[in-house]
Amino acid sequence: KVYRLVESLLYKVLIFGNDDSRISDRWIKEPQNNHKEKVNFMDNSRDLRIDCAKTVAIILVVVGHSVQYVFARDSFDDNLLFRYIYSFHMPLFMFISGYLSFNKNINYIWLKNRFISLVIPFLSWIILGYYISGSYKQITLFQKIKDILLTPDNGGMWFLWVLFLNCFIFFLSNNLYNKIRNTFEIKTEVFLKIIIFLFATVAIRKIASRFWYFGINSCSWYIVFYFAGHLVGTFKPLSKKYWTNKLGITTFIGFFILTFFWRRTENPIF
């Protein structure tokens, strides 16, 4: 139980380790005396709403896993709190990650950094978890790594792997977007990006319908939220123009009512 809870908290912290909404460093070193001096944390470069969303999401996933592995192990899918948390917490993580990509320079260096911050911890946790969970008593380490790579949804920090797949698809889609925009000098950037993202989503879902391995199936679902987050972050003026308080309240009430009928492993019961 402790292993599962630590895993749930650790991979959520790792997921945002490279998704910082603040530009300036927390610490700067003075060259004269090598002493560290604190800078103002409340600088305008940091979006505190994103920090709050990260905090809430991390707390919710730990609570959800506590219900699943500790408080309602045999009936967690019938637990109302569990259902509400699991109806949105993973899509929320994907949405935030996509949102934080809007002000990044999407190139090979960015992709390499995402690989280091996501895939390396994913592989490292497979090895560490192999010994902590006692799997070494049943199977070899090679077999453990192979099993999780083939079906990452069934163990390990699967979310890190799926997020990297989303980043990779986003990287390819963004490169295609830049080439088409520069070649044809297209000015309607919103519609072009939406069309390319829709094309990428349909393509990955077609692949997932025939090929379920390596987390492609999960990627085909979560890529929608990653793209949505990126679009909201990129086109903030449009988002603010059409997103009103009334629409937000209506959406929240609708979500609260409909989620009551939602099941993680079944179709809605209405």
Side-chain angles (χ1 to χ4, degrees):
K1 294 177 183 178
V2 174
Y3 169 74
R4 288 294 185 182
L5 292 178
V6 171
E7 180 185 64
S8 68
L9 177 60
L10 183 59
Y11 74 57
K12 294 304 180 293
V13 173
L14 284 169
I15 213 71
F16 289 129
N18 200 37
D19 279 336
D20 196 358
S21 55
R22 176 178 45 78
I23 298 174
S24 58
D25 293 333
R26 285 181 181 266
W27 299 91
I28 55 175
K29 183 180 291 185
E30 295 185 2
Q32 294 84 354
N33 51 21
N34 290 331
H35 290 300
K36 291 180 179 179
E37 179 183 343
K38 288 186 178 180
V39 298
N40 182 15
F41 291 171
M42 302 299 292
D43 58 88
N44 295 328
S45 63
R46 192 174 192 96
D47 191 339
L48 296 181
R49 294 171 300 177
I50 298 299
D51 288 335
C52 291
K54 291 179 183 180
T55 304
V56 170
I58 291 174
I59 292 173
L60 286 178
V61 78
V62 174
V63 172
H65 282 188
S66 298
V67 173
Q68 183 177 6
Y69 294 110
V70 180
F71 300 110
R73 296 192 64 181
D74 299 325
S75 59
F76 55 85
D77 274 319
D78 295 325
N79 185 282
L80 191 59
L81 176 61
F82 177 86
R83 297 212 314 266
Y84 271 103
I85 291 175
Y86 267 64
S87 67
F88 75 91
H89 78 299
M90 298 308 289
L92 176 61
F93 275 106
M94 286 294 180
F95 182 90
I96 294 174
S97 295
Y99 179 88
L100 293 174
S101 69
F102 81 93
N103 62 348
K104 301 291 192 302
N105 187 13
I106 309 302
N107 51 28
Y108 287 102
I109 296 177
W110 175 84
L111 187 63
K112 182 190 74 172
N113 291 336
R114 298 307 283 163
F115 179 88
I116 294 173
S117 63
L118 296 173
V119 179
I120 298 302
F122 169 75
L123 296 175
S124 300
W125 189 254
I126 293 177
I127 299 173
L128 185 61
Y130 172 76
Y131 292 103
I132 294 177
S133 63
S135 298
Y136 63 89
K137 298 177 182 179
Q138 289 84 30
I139 60 175
T140 64
L141 177 59
F142 176 79
Q143 183 65 40
K144 179 70 173 180
I145 295 175
K146 186 182 76 170
D147 291 345
I148 293 184
L149 286 178
L150 285 175
T151 56
D153 305 25
N154 295 330
M157 294 187 181
W158 65 271
F159 184 76
L160 297 175
W161 175 259
V162 172
L163 179 55
F164 176 75
L165 292 182
N166 285 346
C167 291
F168 181 71
I169 295 171
F170 169 70
F171 169 78
L172 297 178
S173 302
N174 193 72
N175 281 352
L176 178 61
Y177 160 78
N178 288 330
K179 288 182 179 179
I180 294 177
R181 185 191 62 178
N182 295 333
T183 301
F184 299 99
E185 298 182 353
I186 297 177
K187 296 182 179 180
T188 54
E189 298 181 5
V190 179
F191 298 107
L192 177 60
K193 247 183 184 177
I194 291 176
I195 290 173
I196 291 176
F197 287 169
L198 285 175
F199 173 79
T201 301
V202 172
I204 195 65
R205 290 205 169 185
K206 285 289 185 182
I207 295 173
S209 65
R210 299 173 178 270
F211 187 81
W212 287 66
Y213 297 109
F214 302 108
I216 298 297
N217 187 51
S218 294
C219 177
S220 68
W221 164 247
Y222 289 115
I223 189 66
V224 176
F225 303 101
Y226 190 96
F227 281 156
H230 176 78
L231 290 172
V232 170
T234 303
F235 304 108
K236 279 184 180 180
L238 286 177
S239 304
K240 292 179 179 179
K241 178 180 178 181
Y242 293 104
W243 184 261
T244 61
N245 291 335
K246 290 183 179 179
L247 180 60
I249 294 173
T250 303
T251 302
F252 177 79
I253 294 175
F255 165 79
F256 188 82
I257 295 174
L258 294 176
T259 304
F260 181 81
F261 303 96
W262 179 83
R263 292 293 187 275
R264 184 175 64 95
T265 57
E266 304 172 10
N267 291 326
I269 60 175
F270 57 84

